Amino acid sequence: MTPLFSRRAALQSVSAGFGYLAFAGLSSMANAKTPTASENPLSPKPPHFPATAKRVIFLCMTGAPSHVDTFDYKPQLNADHGKNGRYGGKLLGSQWDFKQRGDSGLWISELFPSVAQHADDLCLIRSMHCNQPVHPAAQTQMHTGTAQFVRPSIGAWTLYGLGTENDSMPGFISLSAAAGQSSSYGSAFLPAIYGGTPINAGVRGGGGMGRRFGGGGSAVPDIENSRYTSTQQRKQLDLIQSLNHEKLRRDEHQPGVEGIIESYELAFRMQDTMPELMDVSGESDATLKMYGADGGATERFGRQCLLARRFVESGVRFVEINHGGWDHHTNLSTDLPNRCNEIDKPIAGLLKDLKQRDMLKDTLVIWGGEFGRTPAAQNGDGRDHNNKGYTTWMAGGGVKAGFSYGETDEHGYAAVQDKCHIHDWHATILHLLGLNHEQLTYRYAGRDFRLTDVHGNVASDIIA
């Protein structure tokens, strides 16, 4: 009987045997029900219906910004300042003035003077609510639709449904993801290739990098190999891939192994493409200034917004930028202005840049946190968690511009009109991308899963 492997091949396989440990777990994954792509699982796939958005930039404010101090104007809250609220505690009016902005007349706080200049591009959703009143669970629900057990994030679902347009970059990137929140960009039971790639970007690089800040090597773990040349890496990878393909030949169909083959190839290609995209030395001084990436408190977030534009321009499907420090139980009067100042100019720069490149029309920009804050004071100068009513906003990607959707009560405590649950929010985002949230499913553990579980209605009133 002829042996399956030669002696040399057997010895080689021993050195690479660790790979089979990964294959064993991944190879049990079931196949997708969404329209299949070509041999590359990340190849672009057609949407369920014509889309208005081709890509997403999600500006995630970790810690939950106070909606009643930023985008949800409540004059009655100010009028009742100091009175005992029916929600517990004394009502705390906003310390900052709201003004009607742009031709649309949207009410926006003075904390966002630069974003306010783009009021006529914004679609404010002022009736958000979710089930989770604590940060970790609410963050998980915001990203995955549930806090009960680990499920794929919205970025992973988007990539799974549509693929990507750059085969040398991850289709889903998470910039400065919060520690311990891997579920926010994870793929869970979807093939691993659809998971997000975390990048610690925004810190100026050393070693004379100058304007490259955050070059691919330091920002993406394990993307550089100091031991082998590119030719040597290719030979090493070819050996591993020969074992992978032999596994596929014998089993005929193994989605998990197919995903691993592509992820190894993607990582190899990223070595050239990622550093190039993260090198902004070719950007003008005017562009850096527009994003606030030229120094000061806005520099870090400004760089991330600039990188997000470069990523989506290159074909990346979903980019999330994480910005923390919004959990203001105390020191609201000083800390909230500081946080807003860090992001205001960069976000305005991003919107302006996308618009002048004619990209805003099919790029969906989303801003929001996991919930809002209470109208009642906490610790004298703070606000507690509030999942019953809060604000997010969208811009571009086919949403109505200069539009306000939904309302909270007169004090901003609970959503009362055109209520938008997190499931509805997810359904609407997928709809703008041309995906039917009820049809975008994946069979796992004997049932068909989807981002919205068995819930969700598209907020059709916000669609242009």
Side-chain angles (χ1 to χ4, degrees), residues 58-63 139 143 172-182 184-185 196-204 213-214 218-221 274 278 299-308 311 318-326 342-343:
F58 177 24
L59 309 173
C60 180
M61 306 294 108
T62 304
Q139 274 283 333
H143 284 90
F172 171 22
I173 291 175
S174 179
L175 292 169
S176 297
Q181 286 289 319
S182 60
S184 297
Y185 57 84
T197 297
I199 297 177
N200 183 22
V203 180
R204 184 177 300 277
F213 53 72
S218 60
V220 184
M274 180 69 82
M278 297 190 71
E299 186 174 18
R300 180 181 178 88
F301 196 74
R303 293 170 182 166
Q304 294 171 344
C305 286
L306 177 55
L307 288 175
F311 289 153
F318 196 108
V319 178
E320 177 172 342
I321 308 176
N322 297 275
H323 185 271
W326 295 89
E342 290 167 1
I343 67 170

Side-chain angles (χ1 to χ4, degrees), residues 68-69 78 81 92-98 109-111 331-334 336-337 380-383:
V68 295
D69 294 303
N78 280 12
H81 173 76
L92 177 65
S94 181
Q95 305 170 50
W96 299 276
D97 291 335
F98 278 73
S109 166
E110 64 179 324
L111 290 172
N331 302 322
L332 182 74
S333 58
T334 55
L336 181 59
D381 186 26
R383 300 189 188 275

